[in-house]
Amino acid sequence: MQGSANLNLMIKAARKAGRSLVKDFREVENLQVSSKGPGDFVTKADREAERIIMEELRGARPSYGWLGEETGEAAGEDPTRRWIVDPLDGTTNFLHGLPHWAVSIALEHKGEVVAGVVFDAAKDELYYAEKGLGAFVNESRLRVSGRRNMIEAIFATGVPFGGKSTLPATLQDLARLMPVCAGVRRFGSAALDLAYVAAGRYDGYWERGIQPWDMAAGLILVKEAGGFVGPVREGRGILESGAVIAGNAQLFEPLCKILRQPA
Ligand code: IPD
Ligand code: CA
């Protein structure tokens, strides 16, 4: 795909941050056995990745706004455009030496995500999409799955941890969904969960208690791969809603029906 200058810039930033994280990830594997553990080291790796991305993106487009997991929000001279960045999605996996984490970068224009990059650096899988131009992983086009029956479908989610208030609702979702599908996965990276829906590996995904930077890039991957996305509570803007549903064309509605039932 012949992407725009902005998409190429996002890819360059994601690859650069990914290289830095891969180096740090090797070190984490050594630190697992030390008494201090790798906690502080990972925090530094995460911040360094965001610094690299910011330097690339804001260096090239100083007028755009910014929303990053580590550095927060900064308005730009151009109020219509904003980068939405999670330098390391899947931090817990990274910390535990599990090779399932990603760099996530999205570009929003007038409130709509128009380009997204999710880079799984450990597996060298670069997912990217631009509005109207389709979604890709490396050189291959992405398509959501064609499964039609819930009972054959696999869904991904994120189960809230550390006392988050969304745990009871998520447990209720699982109780409703698990008996009627082929399985639910919890791999620990929302950005990759959405990329896997776009790739047809999962038939759908939902999560409560999620932030704009976790999902922004993944949402456009799903849409450009022919899938659907929406908020759990209808009528809310998807990025601000904090609870998202994604699915292939046939199973999005049945999944919404199950997850939108009253408590
Ligand atoms: C987390 C991951 C996880 C999801 C959490 C996120 P982080 O992001 O995406 O899969 O369940 O809601 O906070 O903290 O690893 O960047
Ligand atoms: Ca995240």
Side-chain angles (χ1 to χ4, degrees):
M1 163 184 143
Q2 189 65 40
S4 68
N6 275 338
L7 183 72
N8 291 332
L9 182 63
M10 292 158 75
I11 290 174
K12 187 172 164 225
R15 285 201 184 278
K16 200 164 174 191
R19 273 197 298 278
S20 164
L21 287 166
V22 163
K23 220 163 6 92
D24 290 336
F25 187 63
R26 287 195 202 109
E27 185 62 24
V28 165
E29 288 168 336
N30 299 331
L31 290 171
Q32 297 294 352
V33 290
S34 82
S35 59
K36 220 173 127 236
D40 290 346
F41 180 81
V42 171
T43 308
K44 278 194 208 129
D46 197 350
R47 290 200 185 128
E48 173 62 7
E50 185 152 327
R51 192 198 61 74
I52 291 170
I53 297 166
M54 189 187 260
E55 189 175 80
E56 288 292 322
L57 299 182
R58 298 209 87 182
R61 303 282 185 271
S63 64
Y64 290 15
W66 176 270
L67 176 65
E69 177 167 17
E70 299 303 318
T71 48
E73 206 163 358
E77 228 170 80
D78 176 351
T80 69
R81 290 186 175 81
R82 155 170 100 145
W83 303 113
I84 304 177
V85 173
D86 190 343
L88 174 56
D89 185 59
T91 318
T92 308
N93 284 343
F94 192 96
L95 183 70
H96 286 255
L98 293 164
H100 193 76
W101 44 267
V103 177
S104 175
I105 303 177
L107 175 62
E108 188 186 55
H109 183 217
K110 296 187 176 162
E112 187 191 7
V113 177
V114 293
V117 173
V118 172
F119 183 37
D120 179 342
K123 304 184 202 75
D124 198 23
E125 289 187 332
L126 180 84
Y127 299 86
Y128 53 97
E130 199 154 21
K131 194 179 168 193
L133 296 181
F136 295 79
V137 59
N138 297 336
E139 300 305 313
S140 310
R141 181 110 197 203
L142 293 173
R143 293 295 305 165
V144 293
S145 73
R147 275 189 204 87
R148 300 175 164 271
N149 300 320
M150 286 297 275
I151 202 67
E152 292 165 2
I154 287 196
F155 298 102
T157 190
V159 179
F161 50 86
K164 280 196 196 164
S165 62
T166 45
L167 181 61
T170 302
L171 294 177
Q172 187 166 61
D173 295 339
L174 290 168
R176 286 171 172 164
L177 188 62
M178 292 186 81
V180 298
C181 73
V184 174
R185 302 288 182 266
R186 198 280 188 256
F187 279 8
S189 162
L192 287 177
D193 288 343
L194 285 160
Y196 280 22
V197 174
R201 294 173 179 168
Y202 295 140
D203 303 294
Y205 157 79
W206 86 102
E207 183 160 352
R208 297 175 188 268
I210 183 172
Q211 301 294 332
W213 48 78
D214 299 318
M215 60 170 135
L219 293 176
I220 188 165
L221 292 176
V222 173
K223 286 203 282 185
E224 287 296 322
F228 290 85
V229 299
V232 172
R233 259 169 289 143
E234 283 172 288
R236 305 192 62 186
I238 190 161
L239 282 185
E240 305 74 40
S241 74
V244 63
I245 306 175
N248 76 12
Q250 293 80 14
L251 295 177
F252 177 70
E253 282 305 330
L255 183 60
C256 288
K257 210 166 155 201
I258 292 171
L259 299 172
R260 286 177 178 159
Q261 284 172 61

